[in-house]
Amino acid sequence: MAQYITSDDTQIYFTDTGSGPALLLAHGYGCTSRYFKNNIPELSKHFRVIAVDLRGQGHSNKATKGPRVSRLATDIHELLISLNLTNVTYLGWSMGASVGWCYWDLFGSDRLAKFIFVDEPALAAADPDNPTGAMSIDDLIAFQNNMRDHTDQTIETFIRSLLHKTTLNIDDLVTDSQLGNVNFLSQLIFNHHVLDWSDVLPTITLPSLVLSGENSLVNWKSTKHVSDLIPNSQFVRFSDAGHMLFFEYPEKFNQVVTEFTNDF
C-alpha cells in the first residue's frame, strides 16, 4: 500500500491500481479498502482506482485525532491534491457516502467529476422524526461502550450484520476491520450518525448515481430519498442484496459503476 501524510501529520494508506479516468473508493464505518476486493480488479481494467483506508481504520489505524466526517473528507481532498488528480469519480459506500457529501459541502466540485453513493441515508440516527434510522442515541452509546469493552466481538458482530448473503465468507474482512483504532472508532460512530445531510444533497450539481440494497439494514426507501433530493440523480436498487451489495453482486455492481463513470 502507498501512503501520504495529511496536513495534521497523520498517515493515510491507499492502493492505486490501473490507469485511465480516476475512480476513488471510500469504504463504510469500521471497514477498509479490502472490502472492494471483488471490484478493484475489474474496475481497474477501465479506471485508475484509488481505494483508501480512511483515517483510524484499516492500515490508517495510527490516527488518534480527527474522528469526524469532516476530517475524513479533508483527508480525501488532500489525497487528490497530493496525487494531482482531477475529474475524479467519487464512490462512497455507507459512511463513505457521508464523507462525499461533506466533501461537497466543504470543497464543492474541486477535482471531482461525478458521485456514486452506495446505500446511505441522509441521517443515520434514529429518532421519532427518523424512525427508519440505524441506531438511536441510546443504541449509539451502548455501541460505543461495547466497542471499548468487547472490541473484537463487537466489530465482528457489526460487520457480519452488513451482509445479506450470509453464506459468503468474510472472515478476512472482519480481521481487516479489527485493525482499526478502537478509541477513534468509538467516537467516529457517534459523529457519523448524528449528521443530517438533507440540506446539502439538493445543492449537488455533479452527475450522481445512488445505489441501494433491497434487503439492506438501511431501508432502501431512505436511500431512494437521497436520490430524490439530489437533482437529476439516477437510482438503482439491487434485488436480494444487503448493505454490502458491491460484495454480494460484484458483476452487476462493476457493470453499473463502469457504465455510469464512462457515460459522458
Side-chain angles (χ1 to χ4, degrees):
M1 300 185 81
Q3 65 170 298
Y4 78 103
I5 307 299
T6 67
S7 58
D8 67 348
D9 295 320
T10 297
Q11 290 180 323
I12 303 294
Y13 286 82
F14 64 97
T15 61
D16 188 345
T17 311
S19 61
L23 172 64
L24 185 136
L25 309 181
H27 60 76
Y29 170 82
C31 302
T32 73
S33 57
R34 183 187 291 269
Y35 280 64
F36 296 111
K37 68 178 186 177
N38 291 342
N39 314 107
I40 293 174
E42 177 60 29
L43 293 175
S44 63
K45 295 177 183 177
H46 308 277
F47 311 109
R48 179 179 176 183
V49 181
I50 312 297
V52 62
D53 278 8
L54 296 172
R55 175 182 294 241
Q57 295 153 96
H59 293 279
S60 302
N61 58 10
K62 297 297 190 294
T64 58
K65 53 189 173 182
R68 292 172 293 280
V69 170
S70 59
R71 182 64 242 191
L72 303 185
T74 301
D75 290 345
I76 296 294
H77 189 240
E78 292 180 1
L79 172 60
L80 298 186
I81 292 173
S82 72
L83 295 176
N84 195 28
L85 290 175
T86 57
N87 296 316
V88 176
T89 295
Y90 177 99
L91 187 156
W93 162 54
S94 194
M95 183 189 69
S98 293
V99 173
W101 300 334
C102 188
Y103 184 112
W104 175 263
D105 197 33
L106 293 173
F107 309 110
S109 61
D110 187 48
R111 299 185 177 270
L112 301 183
K114 295 183 177 183
F115 279 124
I116 302 174
F117 302 122
V118 184
D119 217 56
E120 174 76 345
L123 172 64
D127 62 31
D129 295 325
N130 190 44
T132 61
M135 285 192 274
S136 67
I137 298 301
D138 288 343
D139 291 336
L140 283 168
I141 294 171
F143 185 91
Q144 288 180 301
N145 292 335
N146 286 332
M147 182 68 83
R148 296 189 187 100
D149 298 339
H150 310 284
T151 303
D152 285 353
Q153 179 184 345
T154 300
I155 290 174
E156 178 166 8
T157 300
F158 171 72
I159 296 304
R160 294 195 184 281
S161 74
L162 308 181
L163 198 66
H164 177 61
K165 297 175 70 173
T166 55
T167 56
L168 295 176
N169 188 333
I170 57 170
D171 291 348
D172 60 330
L173 303 185
V174 170
T175 299
D176 225 41
S177 283
Q178 290 170 339
L179 295 173
N181 183 318
V182 61
N183 291 324
F184 185 97
L185 288 173
S186 65
Q187 298 175 70
L188 180 62
I189 187 71
F190 198 93
N191 179 260
H192 164 227
H193 267 67
V194 300
L195 296 172
D196 187 348
W197 299 101
S198 297
D199 64 319
V200 173
L201 296 174
T203 71
I204 294 175
T205 57
L206 292 180
S208 299
L209 172 66
V210 180
L211 305 178
S212 174
E214 184 178 46
N215 297 106
S216 172
L217 51 78
V218 176
N219 188 304
W220 73 265
K221 294 180 181 179
S222 297
T223 310
K224 177 62 166 60
H225 180 62
V226 166
S227 181
D228 292 341
L229 287 174
I230 301 174
N232 301 315
S233 72
Q234 302 176 38
F235 178 76
V236 177
R237 184 175 66 177
F238 281 55
S239 299
D240 196 40
H243 194 49
M244 292 173 60
L245 55 102
F246 57 90
F247 186 83
E248 295 174 328
Y249 293 97
E251 294 83 5
K252 178 179 178 179
F253 183 88
N254 296 340
Q255 180 180 357
V256 169
V257 167
T258 299
E259 290 177 352
F260 174 77
T261 306
N262 277 333
D263 182 14
F264 290 97

